[in-house]
Amino acid sequence: MVGGGRESGAVTDTQSAAISTRLNWLRAGVLGANDGIISTAGLVVGVAGATTSRAAILTAGVAGLLAGALSMAAGEYVSVSSQRDSERASLEVERRELAQEPEAELDELTGLLMDRGLDRELAREAAVQLTERDALKAHARVELGIEPDQLANPWHAAFASLVAFTVGAVLPLLAIVLPGPSGRVPVTVSAVLVALALCGVVSARLGGAPVPRAILRNVLGGALAMAVTYAVGTRLGTS
């Protein structure tokens, strides 16, 4: 019974980890797109406040898009690489301890399973079976909260951030350069606020947070950014 239950539990843990990983990536993608929208919108609206030159606005917008996307990608690569290095180091320590003190590690795994609600006899039996099947994976999951077969890939993370930011940045860039001079700022502000509201809905759904609050926070943040940069651009352009 224990073996069958633990087998089913192991599959469930793996599936749960996979779902959690996908949700984290999706959430990161939404946040990356959100950053792309706000930062690029603030930049192009500010430049539009200073000049009516489509070429100048487009140049600034493209430069901001590239700089922001590459910065996001580099930051995500460094962050995930550090996390991956830490996880690998923890796994190496666990591998060494399992080789040097297998009985102590078995006792530790038993205690961890007891902390999760199993009685001593059942926890011991489960610990023995898990250790016989894959001791390192058992300790990684139960003790460290790590899925050894699903360590984050920094290159994937960097590419995902770059794409998400770029997708978000394209909207305000197109909205500012396609209309005529008199309609650029109103069209961009409207498009950006709608996009930010949608991002707020998606991020709230993914995180289980209240939707109205997420929308309000997103829209107010974007509106403030555009208002400040437009005021500065108008002032500098006039002077």
Side-chain angles (χ1 to χ4, degrees):
M1 288 296 293
V2 173
R6 290 304 300 169
E7 182 67 29
S8 175
V11 172
T12 301
D13 288 344
T14 301
Q15 292 174 339
S16 178
I19 292 172
S20 177
T21 299
R22 285 195 292 270
L23 286 176
N24 286 337
W25 280 112
L26 185 55
R27 188 178 296 112
V30 173
L31 293 176
N34 196 78
D35 287 344
I37 293 171
I38 293 178
S39 61
T40 305
L43 176 61
V44 295
V45 166
V47 176
T51 179
T52 58
S53 170
R54 178 179 275 107
I57 296 171
L58 179 61
T59 300
V62 172
L65 185 155
L66 292 175
L70 293 174
S71 175
M72 286 281 291
E76 194 69 14
Y77 178 84
V78 171
S79 175
V80 175
S81 293
S82 298
Q83 175 187 335
R84 187 182 179 94
D85 290 344
S86 177
E87 291 175 342
R88 282 177 168 172
S90 297
L91 290 173
E92 185 57 37
V93 170
E94 201 62 41
R95 185 181 288 108
R96 186 168 59 251
E97 290 177 347
L98 285 167
Q100 295 174 351
E101 301 177 314
E103 286 301 321
E105 290 299 299
L106 182 60
D107 291 339
E108 182 181 32
L109 183 58
T110 301
L112 291 170
L113 292 173
M114 290 175 61
D115 291 340
R116 294 192 172 192
L118 299 182
D119 60 50
R120 176 175 291 278
E121 182 179 350
L122 187 58
R124 187 67 174 188
E125 184 179 351
V128 169
Q129 292 192 25
L130 289 171
T131 298
E132 290 175 349
R133 185 174 297 126
D134 192 325
L136 180 61
K137 185 173 291 186
H139 279 267
R141 287 174 174 171
V142 179
E143 181 180 350
L144 304 175
I146 296 174
E147 278 292 333
D149 300 330
Q150 297 180 13
L151 298 183
N153 187 315
W155 288 107
H156 291 172
F159 180 73
S161 293
L162 185 147
V163 171
F165 187 96
T166 301
V167 169
V170 166
L171 172 67
L173 185 58
L174 292 177
I176 201 75
V177 298
L178 293 180
S182 62
R184 284 173 185 163
V185 173
V187 168
T188 301
V189 170
S190 300
V192 166
L193 294 183
V194 170
L196 290 177
L198 291 176
C199 284
V201 172
V202 175
S203 62
R205 295 296 186 189
L206 291 174
V211 172
R213 185 184 304 170
I215 294 176
L216 183 62
R217 183 169 53 231
N218 240 23
V219 169
L220 287 180
L224 178 62
M226 289 185 288
V228 170
T229 55
Y230 183 75
V232 172
T234 302
R235 186 62 175 264
L236 292 177
T238 301
S239 60

